[in-house]
């Protein structure tokens, strides 16, 4: 059906999407990030990051468990986004030398007391993974796919341990991964003999190490793993149990493999680690359907409106004009300020702030400035852009407020600066207190919380006031038609024009434009995977803008045709109601895709998704409002009003 009108539309869209995806594949690096060259024997610094679990969503620092630690633990410099993500990057006792394999290096031995054994068991129960970093590359565990030969999927980090039972017994035991077989992949420059790291993999094993005599840190030789006898660990047949008074010996191997993968493409493995049945074609197909529906809606609207305007302008006598019904009849009331107009101004300003933040963030992301190699860069950029977009929020609020004949611009600027951020900050503070109560590294420290408040009060609030001042100084927008002093009575409406019904219907199409992409975004956030197809996301964002605008205009047109002129708030809520569907989808995703069992983790999930839905409401509502605002001004300035 789509090919009848424009046979080349789908082809052009597919080509453009393919080109953006190809472009994205080349742009994973922040401009200015230089590769590091290593000569043979150069020391390699392995850093440890947080312990993570998809079951609890609560990160913990690596040294919260009784792992081997260096003499002095040093925190790496973190940006604001890393702190908010719960990243805690620290040095480790693992010592590698470039292209020098090592076998059975002993880190330390640890004797478990009751408390330490309990902590290890809890982390194994909750399926926690240990994350490490080498040359800015995260550690992955290659897992062979069952459905494809010679193909692997890559899991972030390795599990702390596993549960199982010995043959012939039913008692469940806990076993720790205490031997790590690292593989460092490198790409060698044939001219200089230097090499660059392009991969960091591990195979974890649980081994009950044995040795003769008394333990000595330097001189003890293991009988289970001995580099002199070329005896290495290849399986977990005799695993290391986690129990009180048990002695655990931590060991590791390092192997170096030359790779054909160039440094510029080393992130491809990590970014394509998700299940490859992503069905790009079905996503593009869904967008095509949305585009087609939007095109059809636009065609109907243009034809109907053209006929209406032509008919109204051809009326010759006053009698004919008085007999006329429809949207022209309410011209004396259509620009009457709505109830709670101040609140509408605040929400519109907040939506403009979000729109500016998302638009600029996506532009930077598409150009490759916010690559996954720059941990926390995306969140830092969004926070800073939100703060600076306060200028446009204040301007939009004050401009609309003056059109509604408001006089106290400072009051409206104050509400714009504090209403949305204040409610979100209060909820965030409660959620952070819950994380802090769980002693998780995901809790935002007091210093960072103070920095956020300084950004808000020191930069965002003054910018909102500056924007409000500039917006209020501008001359007020003149209405295209005069407003009557006495409001007209609205006739009884058909059931399908009921505000609640039309608002709920209006949110379906915008949500339909984003819900497939939403699945991948939620997966990247809650299942700790990378999200990187920003080019595609940008197309989805454009589709969202178009669908929000068109569905609001159509429903606004039907509303005015039925002589209901209260369109201000309804235009905002029509497209804004897509946030309700987003929250319902988040609940569906929680119960079908996640394995969260702890109440605190559930509260965190729904708390953060409530914040996201609230932001989505402000964004989509504002898009719909401005579309309807433009539409009503356009149609009423196009007809002759006596």
């Amino acid at each position: 059906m789509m090919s009848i009108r424009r046979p080349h539309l789908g082809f052009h869209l597919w080509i453009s999407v393919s080109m953006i995806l190809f472009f994205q594949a080349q742009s994973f690096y922040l401009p200015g990030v230089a590769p590091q060259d290593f000569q043979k024997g150069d020391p390699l610094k392995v850093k440890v990051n947080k312990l993570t679990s998809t079951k609890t969503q609560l990160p913990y620092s690596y040294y919260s468990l009784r792992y081997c630690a260096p003499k002095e633990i040093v925190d790496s410099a973190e940006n604001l986004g890393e702190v908010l993500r719960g990243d805690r990057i620290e040095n480790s006792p693992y010592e590698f030398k470039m292209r020098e394999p090592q076998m059975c290096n002993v880190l330390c031995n640890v004797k478990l007391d009751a408390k330490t054994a309990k902590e290890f068991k809890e982390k194994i129960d909750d399926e926690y993974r240990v994350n490490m970093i080498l040359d800015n590359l995260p550690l992955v565990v290659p897992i062979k796919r069952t459905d494809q030969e010679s193909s692997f999927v890559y899991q972030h980090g390795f599990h702390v341990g596993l549960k199982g039972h010995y043959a012939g017994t039913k008692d469940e035991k806990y076993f720790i991964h205490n031997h790590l077989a690292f593989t460092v992949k490198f790409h060698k420059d044939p001219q200089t003999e230097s090499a660059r790291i392009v991969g960091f993999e591990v195979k974890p094993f649980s081994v009950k190490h044995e040795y003769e005599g008394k333990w000595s840190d330097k001189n003890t030789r293991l009988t289970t793993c001995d580099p002199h006898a070329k005896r290495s660990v290849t399986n977990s047949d005799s695993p290391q149990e986690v129990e009180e008074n048990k002695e655990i010996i931590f060991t590791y191997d390092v192997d170096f493999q030359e790779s054909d993968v160039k440094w510029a493409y080393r992130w491809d493995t990590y970014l394509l680690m998700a299940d490859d049945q992503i069905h790009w074609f079905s996503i593009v197909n869904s967008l095509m359907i949305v585009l087609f529906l939007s095109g059809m809606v636009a065609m109907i609207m243009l034809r109907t409106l053209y006929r209406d305007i032509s008919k109204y302008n051809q009326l010759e006598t006053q009698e004919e004009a008085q007999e006329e019904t429809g949207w022209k009849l309410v011209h004396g009331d259509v620009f009457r300020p709505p109830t709670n107009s101040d609140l509408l101004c605040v929400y519109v300003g907040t939506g403009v702030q979000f729109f500016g933040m998302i638009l600029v963030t996506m532009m930077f992301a598409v150009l490759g400035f916010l690559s996954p190699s720059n941990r926390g860069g995306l969140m830092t950029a969004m926070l800073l852009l939100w703060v600076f977009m306060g200028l446009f929020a204040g301007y939009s609020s004050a401009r609309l407020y003056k059109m509604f004949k408001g006089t106290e611009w400072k009051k409206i600027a104050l509400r714009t600066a504090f209403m949305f951020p204040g409610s979100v900050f209060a909820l965030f503070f409660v959620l952070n207190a819950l994380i802090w109560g769980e002693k998780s590294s995901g809790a935002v420290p007091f210093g960072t919380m103070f920095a956020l408040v300084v950004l808000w009060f020191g930069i965002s609030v003054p910018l909102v006031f500056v924007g409000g001042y500039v917006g209020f100084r501008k001359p007020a927008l003149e209405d295209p038609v005069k407003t009557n002093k006495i409001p007209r009575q609205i006739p009884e409406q058909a059931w399908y024009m009921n505000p609640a019904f039309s608002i709920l219907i209006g949110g379906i199409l915008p949500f339909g434009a984003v819900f497939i992409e939403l699945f991948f975004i939620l997966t990247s956030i809650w299942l700790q995977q990378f999200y990187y197809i920003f080019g595609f996301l940008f197309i989805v964002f454009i589709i969202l803008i178009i669908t929000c605008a068109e569905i609001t205009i159509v429903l606004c047109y039907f509303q005015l045709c039925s002589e209901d002129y209260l369109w201000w708030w309804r235009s905002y809520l029509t497209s804004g109601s897509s946030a309700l569907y987003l929250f319902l989808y988040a609940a569906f995703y929680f119960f079908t895709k996640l394995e969260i069992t702890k109440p605190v983790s559930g509260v965190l999930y729904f708390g953060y998704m409530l914040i996201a839905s609230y932001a989505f409401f402000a964004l989509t509502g504002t898009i719909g409002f401005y579309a309807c605002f433009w539409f009503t001004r356009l149609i009423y300035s196009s007809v002759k009003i006596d």
Side-chain angles (χ1 to χ4, degrees):
M1 189 164 64
M2 284 183 279
S3 60
I4 295 172
R5 283 191 173 278
R6 297 192 60 184
H8 58 286
L9 176 63
F11 177 75
H12 279 291
L13 183 66
W14 177 254
I15 289 294
S16 62
V17 170
S18 302
M19 287 186 71
I20 286 174
L21 293 180
F22 175 78
F23 172 72
Q24 276 305 112
Q26 316 304 318
S27 59
F28 295 138
Y29 288 94
L30 189 71
V33 174
Q36 191 169 355
D37 293 314
F38 296 96
Q39 301 295 333
K40 188 173 181 180
D42 282 353
L44 304 178
K45 293 180 181 178
V46 178
K47 295 179 181 178
V48 291
N49 199 352
K50 60 189 174 183
L51 307 172
T52 56
S53 166
T54 56
K55 286 183 77 173
T56 69
Q57 302 296 334
L58 293 166
Y60 288 88
S61 70
Y62 177 81
Y63 295 112
S64 64
L65 289 181
R66 182 73 169 82
Y67 280 118
C68 305
K71 290 179 181 177
E72 184 185 0
I73 297 172
V74 181
D75 288 337
S76 293
E78 294 167 338
N79 58 42
L80 187 59
E82 280 182 294
V83 175
L84 294 175
R85 275 162 40 103
D87 282 349
R88 297 294 180 268
I89 301 168
E90 297 156 317
N91 60 332
S92 79
Y94 293 95
E95 293 178 0
F96 299 176
K97 288 188 177 177
M98 188 65 176
R99 287 155 57 197
E100 291 184 5
Q102 301 173 37
M103 185 190 290
C104 240
N105 265 20
V106 177
L107 272 182
C108 69
N109 76 327
V110 173
K111 192 165 186 180
L112 299 182
D113 55 27
K115 184 188 173 193
T116 309
K118 185 187 173 201
E119 286 170 348
F120 271 115
K121 285 179 180 180
E122 285 174 350
K123 296 295 182 287
I124 293 169
D125 257 331
D126 291 330
E127 297 178 12
Y128 269 87
R129 296 177 193 168
V130 178
N131 294 283
M132 295 183 179
I133 299 165
L134 176 65
D135 190 35
N136 206 34
L137 276 181
L139 181 69
V140 292
V141 179
I143 301 168
K144 195 155 189 174
R145 292 182 64 121
T146 53
D147 55 340
Q148 293 179 20
E149 288 185 17
S150 69
S151 179
F152 291 90
V153 289
Y154 293 91
Q155 170 194 287
H156 272 277
F158 63 91
H159 284 106
V160 171
L162 52 106
K163 290 190 288 185
H165 52 81
Y166 293 110
T169 65
K170 289 186 178 179
D171 292 341
E172 195 170 53
K173 300 285 185 183
Y174 292 83
F175 304 103
I176 188 171
H177 285 137
N178 60 322
H179 179 84
L180 304 176
F182 293 105
T183 302
V184 177
K185 294 185 176 181
F186 64 92
H187 182 77
K188 198 163 89 172
D189 186 337
Q191 294 177 339
T192 63
E193 286 297 308
S194 64
R196 294 173 179 175
I197 294 169
V198 295
F200 186 33
E201 298 175 1
V202 71
K203 285 184 181 174
F205 298 98
S206 181
V207 184
K208 187 178 181 182
H209 285 303
E210 294 175 358
Y211 57 91
E212 295 174 356
K214 287 189 175 182
W215 177 263
S216 169
D217 286 340
K218 292 182 180 178
N219 304 321
T220 304
R221 282 177 63 172
L222 304 175
T223 57
T224 45
C225 180
D226 189 352
H228 303 286
K230 301 293 181 189
R231 188 183 298 120
S232 61
V233 176
T234 55
N235 57 55
S236 300
D237 289 346
S238 57
Q240 175 63 59
E241 222 178 292
V242 178
E243 286 297 340
E244 189 180 352
N245 297 323
K246 292 274 184 184
E247 185 181 42
I248 300 175
I249 299 169
F250 290 94
T251 56
Y252 68 95
D253 302 334
V254 187
D255 187 29
F256 288 86
Q257 284 182 12
E258 191 165 356
S259 171
D260 294 330
V261 176
K262 292 183 179 178
W263 186 87
Y265 302 102
R266 66 179 188 163
W267 274 87
D268 289 14
T269 306
Y270 296 84
L271 299 176
L272 301 174
M273 68 173 68
D275 188 0
D276 65 359
Q277 294 178 348
I278 297 178
H279 306 303
W280 290 117
F281 185 74
S282 69
I283 295 173
V284 173
N285 228 25
S286 300
L287 294 177
M288 288 287 293
I289 291 166
V290 171
L291 268 178
F292 177 70
L293 287 172
S294 302
M296 292 293 290
V297 163
M299 289 293 290
I300 293 165
M301 289 302 304
L302 287 170
R303 285 186 176 183
T304 311
L305 266 177
Y306 182 74
R307 192 185 65 232
D308 284 352
I309 291 168
S310 299
K311 188 171 70 175
Y312 289 149
N313 286 340
Q314 284 168 5
L315 295 175
E316 293 178 359
T317 65
Q318 187 68 26
E319 288 76 24
E320 283 178 305
Q322 286 172 352
E323 289 171 12
E324 193 55 57
T325 58
W327 57 266
K328 186 183 178 185
L329 198 63
V330 294
H331 68 84
D333 297 276
V334 75
F335 292 106
R336 188 180 302 283
T339 53
N340 293 322
S341 58
D342 290 10
L343 189 62
L344 181 64
C345 296
V346 170
Y347 269 113
V348 167
T350 302
V352 167
Q353 194 169 2
F354 264 111
F355 184 82
M357 177 194 79
I358 292 170
L359 186 67
V360 177
T361 302
M362 282 198 189
M363 287 170 133
F364 277 116
V366 167
L367 293 171
F369 283 87
L370 302 173
S371 66
S373 60
N374 181 28
R375 267 181 306 277
L378 183 66
M379 193 173 285
T380 306
M382 289 178 77
L383 270 171
L384 293 176
L385 282 168
W386 162 265
V387 166
F388 288 112
M389 288 296 163
L391 187 71
F392 298 99
Y395 179 85
S396 309
S397 296
R399 199 100 169 79
L400 193 62
Y401 180 68
K402 189 168 185 180
M403 198 189 80
F404 290 148
K405 307 292 188 289
T407 54
E408 300 175 10
W409 70 269
K410 289 178 184 174
K411 184 181 76 173
I412 218 71
L414 194 72
R415 288 178 69 180
T416 306
F418 284 96
M419 197 182 78
F420 181 87
S423 55
V424 168
F425 189 81
L427 181 55
F428 177 71
F429 190 82
V430 172
L431 295 176
N432 196 59
L434 289 174
I435 301 171
W436 182 77
E438 294 289 317
K439 297 177 181 174
S440 165
S441 68
V444 177
F446 176 77
T448 308
M449 197 74 87
F450 181 73
L452 290 174
V453 172
V454 168
L455 279 174
W456 178 17
F457 281 82
I459 302 174
S460 182
V461 173
L463 283 176
V464 172
F465 270 86
V466 170
Y469 174 75
V470 173
F472 199 76
R473 285 284 303 271
K474 289 265 183 181
L477 285 168
E478 293 294 328
D479 296 332
V481 288
K482 288 183 179 179
T483 302
N484 295 335
K485 289 184 178 179
I486 301 169
R488 173 189 185 82
Q489 190 172 356
I490 299 169
E492 193 174 338
Q493 301 292 302
W495 65 271
Y496 53 83
M497 289 308 297
N498 180 279
F501 180 78
S502 63
I503 285 167
L504 289 174
I505 290 294
I508 294 174
L509 194 60
F511 173 73
V514 298
F515 91 96
I516 296 176
E517 202 61 24
L518 187 63
F519 171 81
F520 297 109
I521 294 170
L522 290 177
T523 300
S524 71
I525 294 170
W526 300 106
L527 295 180
Q528 275 122 35
Q529 294 180 10
F530 285 116
Y531 185 87
Y532 66 102
I533 309 292
F534 291 110
F536 198 88
L537 187 63
F538 190 69
I539 291 177
V540 173
F541 182 58
I542 299 299
I543 298 288
L544 176 68
I545 295 169
I546 294 167
T547 47
C548 282
E550 288 188 344
I551 195 68
T552 310
I553 287 170
V554 170
L555 292 176
C556 181
Y557 174 71
F558 290 154
Q559 181 187 348
L560 294 174
C561 283
S562 61
E563 300 176 24
D564 182 356
Y565 53 84
L566 302 175
W567 63 273
W568 296 97
W569 269 110
R570 203 191 289 197
S571 66
Y572 196 98
L573 297 172
T574 296
S575 52
S577 66
S578 55
L580 174 65
Y581 297 104
L582 187 149
F583 189 76
L584 292 174
Y585 180 78
F588 170 78
Y589 184 87
F590 178 85
F591 291 111
T592 57
K593 298 293 178 186
L594 299 180
E595 298 176 359
I596 290 175
T597 49
K598 290 192 173 184
V600 170
S601 304
V603 170
L604 286 177
Y605 176 85
F606 283 105
Y608 285 130
M609 289 315 299
L610 184 64
I611 292 172
S613 301
Y614 189 19
F616 194 70
F617 167 74
L619 172 71
T620 52
T622 299
I623 294 167
F625 171 81
Y626 272 118
C628 203
F629 181 67
W630 167 81
F631 171 73
T632 49
R633 292 181 69 83
L634 182 71
I635 62 172
Y636 283 100
S637 60
S638 302
V639 293
K640 297 172 185 173
I641 306 290
D642 293 326

